[in-house]
Amino acid sequence: MGYFDLSEFAHLESIAAYWFTRIPLTVNLVPSSKIPLETLLREAVGNEIDCEVLVGKTRHRYRLVAVRADAQTTEKRRRERKQKARTTGKTPSQAALIRDGWHLMLTNLPEDKIAATTLAKLYRSRWAIEIQFRAWKQSTQIASALNRKSNKWHLEALICSAMIVVLMGLRQIAIYARKIGLALLSPEKLMDWLTEDILTAINLTEIANNPPNWRHVKREKQNRESTIYQGLAALI
């Protein structure tokens, strides 16, 4: 999320890897049909567009997959964009408002390897992936671990160790998701439990034989008051 670098994508292609990303508004791309993207989106009849586009100054060829956003998402995006523009005394561009009605994705994955509908499902999973990644970073304190003077072998060992932990964590997440449902599970709590147990356990069997109570890894309902209400209450 929020990451777009054509040079990095080119590097991934050079090692025969595939990538998949959202398209920021600032990215310059032109469909191979020469029809402007915004015109293509505005005049689209269906809910899906899958075509080749030319990206950046180098006009590299990539695959664009656009899936129409639902009415609620579209309205929310446009409302927030207009509100932000008002605070700066500007007017949102028509191109931005048109793009707000779509989920725009760019990839080097060919159509014969993955269908647009499958890519759309993967796009919807991005937040769940981000939550699991955040849980891994926080529980292993990987940022602090790597923010030190050391040799490359030590740092590589730390990264490999953290990757082993995340694989164990994903396995536990899968088990508990089947038991209580993914919507009720807190990946952060489960990863915290796992890392604490790894530090105190004698062997992996001990961890396997002492799983956490599901109540300890359940997601908490957030019934927070608005920041405006909290501010007013503090003044009373």
Side-chain angles (χ1 to χ4, degrees):
M1 296 176 67
Y3 180 82
F4 194 96
D5 189 326
L6 290 177
S7 63
E8 288 295 332
F9 300 151
H11 170 67
L12 291 174
E13 289 184 354
S14 71
I15 58 174
Y18 294 113
W19 53 267
F20 169 60
T21 183
R22 292 192 304 174
I23 305 175
L25 182 62
T26 54
V27 173
N28 180 24
L29 57 85
V30 179
S32 297
S33 62
K34 305 300 182 183
I35 300 174
L37 175 60
E38 284 68 35
T39 302
L40 202 64
L41 297 175
R42 185 175 61 248
E43 297 180 354
V45 177
N47 295 322
E48 189 178 288
I49 296 173
D50 192 341
C51 67
E52 184 183 69
V53 291
L54 308 176
V55 184
K57 295 180 180 179
T58 59
R59 287 295 186 258
H60 202 93
R61 295 178 182 272
Y62 291 124
R63 179 185 175 195
L64 166 72
V65 175
V67 178
R68 195 185 297 274
D70 59 67
Q72 184 177 0
T73 300
T74 300
E75 173 59 28
K76 181 175 181 293
R77 288 177 176 176
R78 290 173 177 169
R79 181 175 63 252
E80 290 177 349
R81 187 177 298 281
K82 290 176 181 178
Q83 288 175 347
K84 185 177 180 179
R86 278 197 295 269
T87 60
T88 57
K90 298 179 180 178
T91 301
S93 68
Q94 192 63 29
L97 294 174
I98 291 173
R99 289 195 184 194
D100 284 339
W102 294 80
H103 302 298
L104 300 176
M105 299 158 276
L106 197 68
T107 184
N108 66 335
L109 277 160
E111 190 175 356
D112 60 352
K113 285 193 175 291
I114 187 168
T117 51
T118 306
L119 277 174
K121 291 179 181 178
L122 182 60
Y123 178 88
R124 296 187 188 99
S125 302
R126 70 195 189 283
W127 185 239
I129 295 171
E130 179 68 21
I131 290 174
Q132 293 180 16
F133 186 64
R134 182 180 63 194
W136 170 63
K137 289 192 299 182
Q138 291 178 352
S139 62
T140 59
Q141 299 182 25
I142 190 67
S144 299
L146 298 179
N147 189 25
R148 65 181 69 190
K149 291 183 179 180
S150 185
N151 60 65
K152 66 176 183 179
W153 309 114
H154 179 222
L155 295 176
E156 184 176 327
L158 289 173
I159 293 173
C160 289
S161 300
M163 291 176 69
I164 292 172
V165 171
V166 75
L167 288 173
M168 294 173 64
L170 290 173
R171 176 63 176 167
Q172 292 294 328
I173 288 172
I175 292 172
Y176 274 82
R178 288 195 294 268
K179 288 183 177 180
I180 65 175
L182 189 58
L184 296 176
L185 179 66
S186 170
E188 291 94 339
K189 289 183 178 181
L190 194 144
M191 287 296 295
D192 285 343
W193 160 79
L194 179 61
T195 51
E196 288 176 7
D197 261 31
I198 288 174
L199 292 174
T200 57
I202 298 174
N203 52 52
L204 294 179
T205 304
E206 185 176 332
I207 298 175
N209 292 335
N210 295 284
N213 187 298
W214 70 269
R215 294 182 180 85
H216 298 159
V217 295
K218 189 176 180 182
R219 189 190 304 274
E220 294 180 4
K221 289 184 178 180
Q222 306 227 343
N223 297 318
R224 297 176 182 171
E225 298 169 337
S226 71
T227 53
I228 295 176
Y229 181 86
Q230 290 176 351
L232 290 172
L235 295 174
I236 297 175

